[in-house]
Amino acid sequence: MFEPDVYIKRREQLIKSMSGGLVLLVGNSESPMNYLDNTYPFRQDSTFLYYTGISRPDLFLIIDIESHHTALVGHELTIDDIIWSGSQPDLVNLGELCGADQVLSSSELTTELEKARSQKRTIHYLSPYRAETKNRLEKLLGLSVEQHSKDNSFELASAVITQRSVKEPREVNEIEMALGITQLMILAGMKSVQPGKYEREIAGLVEGIAISGGGRLAYPCILTKHGEVLHNHQYHRRLDQGDLVVQDSGASSIHGYASDITRTYPVNGIFSSCQATIYLAVLRSLEGALSTIRPESSFKESHLAAARIITDHLQQIGIMQGDIDESVAVGAHALFFPHGLGHMMGLDVHDMENLGEDFVGYNDQVHRSQQFGLKSLRFGRAPSQGYVLTVEPGCYFITPLIDQWKNEKRHESFIRYDMLSRWENFGGIRIEENILVTSDGCKILGPPIPKNIPDVENACRG
Ligand code: GLY
Ligand code: MN
Ligand code: MN
């Protein structure tokens, strides 16, 4: 945890941005995997973590916007808790650690909420994303799931998003620590890859490094020779000469901050000329996009800039044609680059998306497009100084998608379907960096991780 003052100040800032009422934050509980006592690793709700720093199940926080009073709610440790989970700070200690004014039991919370409701005070809560939280809200507020899914507080979500979007220096520092671990994860992948190895051998090594770093993976690692399957979480394939590995992996820091890095590398340590051509298209697209990112410039424009560069390179190898701006405007490039340029990152790898993806990524100035490809851009609005984002262009040859578009003759004035057969089993390439938006541009966070072709090839040769 950070010092209590950090959490007190964060709550004070939240209080200032709200009009009144009570804020109720519901912490996460354990989540059973296959029976009650065999649980997924515990992950605290990120907003609860942001305002308290406490990573323990079954807690609530209430913040009174009028009196500025904060109470941490939970149960006292029982001897059973201590026997099975060891000695740990009790509720009063936890209250002190997060700078709360008071601690309350669950039954006292019920009384407080009943009192607030009888006084017709607004109780603000965030939209729940876990069934356990939905049940708790149903019990505490006497609202059906349908009602509380509708009545969650727009005002609170908006205040939280505004506050959590701008990272404090200590948060950037945490992200950089997570990136330090991720550098080791990627280098380990590059150093250990060789023909005959199985994806699972490298995936296991990578996950072990995340645990050795003191946290865990920030999300399930992608480590595959089928990088064209965008969220491929299988690791059972053997790596052979000529294959490319897409490794998309991130660690979480001890305080729960994420990193999210992708590199693509050749199994035999040397890119073929076809692989190098597509790799350079993606690398130049990443560099081009980075040069456009600055406060007040929409991320959607950066996405489109990345798409134009990829289109230009695909034209040079003869698989696309026509006017580049028109081609990007109709979305022809999305056959090869069907996802978004990036997303916000912080305590969550896709930061705050539980509060509403559009709510985080779009506003009155920039609306989400419905066009194939662009619709998958998770963050489109202009960032401000202090935002942390990922930038992750990619180029993929997805056979079922190519077949579908070819049959439909979709965008055939821009796509040379007759030239695509030799690329059929290419797979995919993605390169991903994490950036901090500065006053006049952006900077790549974390230690350098091989990205230029000679550096990647050197790392792969150990
Ligand atoms: N690691 C998932 C993503 O890049 O969004
Ligand atoms: Mn990623
Ligand atoms: Mn990402």
Side-chain angles (χ1 to χ4, degrees), residues 219 248 260 262 392 432:
Y219 54 91
D248 182 343
D260 180 8
T262 306
E392 48 180 309
E432 178 171 24

Side-chain angles (χ1 to χ4, degrees), residues 122-291:
T122 306
I123 301 171
H124 300 272
Y125 56 89
L126 296 169
S127 165
Y129 54 92
R130 285 193 182 187
E132 294 91 340
T133 312
K134 291 182 188 179
N135 290 341
R136 290 180 156 173
L137 282 172
E138 191 170 4
K139 261 203 215 134
L140 281 171
L141 303 175
L143 295 173
S144 68
V145 171
E146 288 73 31
Q147 262 173 316
H148 69 60
S149 318
K150 232 174 41 251
D151 294 347
N152 59 76
S153 171
F154 178 87
E155 186 186 355
L156 176 60
S158 168
V160 169
I161 290 170
T162 304
Q163 189 174 355
R164 281 181 55 192
S165 291
V166 178
K167 271 46 183 187
E168 300 160 1
R170 68 171 64 77
E171 295 185 283
V172 175
N173 191 35
E174 282 285 322
I175 290 169
E176 299 223 77
M177 284 199 266
L179 282 163
I181 303 163
T182 306
Q183 180 199 40
L184 302 178
M185 289 157 61
I186 300 273
L187 286 175
M190 289 178 175
K191 281 192 182 125
S192 60
V193 73
Q194 53 176 277
K197 272 210 171 157
Y198 282 80
E199 295 166 343
R200 61 173 179 263
E201 296 176 67
I202 308 177
L205 189 66
V206 166
E207 182 157 358
I209 294 170
I211 295 171
S212 318
R216 276 197 303 265
L217 289 175
Y219 54 91
C221 167
I222 294 169
L223 198 143
T224 178
K225 64 189 219 177
H226 281 297
E228 79 283 7
V229 178
L230 297 182
H231 279 173
N232 194 339
H233 292 126
Q234 298 176 345
Y235 312 121
H236 62 274
R237 294 190 174 82
R238 200 186 61 197
L239 302 170
D240 293 315
Q241 288 281 357
D243 287 337
L244 285 175
V245 171
V246 170
Q247 180 180 339
D248 182 343
S249 55
S252 71
S253 72
I254 290 172
H255 288 102
Y257 285 82
S259 53
D260 180 8
I261 293 290
T262 306
R263 290 293 186 267
T264 305
Y265 45 89
V267 167
N268 59 6
I270 299 180
F271 288 96
S272 71
S273 75
C274 281
Q275 289 169 344
T277 304
I278 302 297
Y279 191 92
L280 281 178
V282 177
L283 185 60
R284 298 293 172 250
S285 164
L286 170 70
E287 291 163 350
L290 289 172
S291 72

Side-chain angles (χ1 to χ4, degrees), residues 307-323:
R308 280 193 290 273
I309 296 169
I310 287 183
T311 302
D312 187 15
H313 280 257
L314 296 184
Q315 288 197 357
Q316 287 171 36
I317 57 168
I319 60 179
M320 293 194 80
Q321 62 186 7
D323 183 82

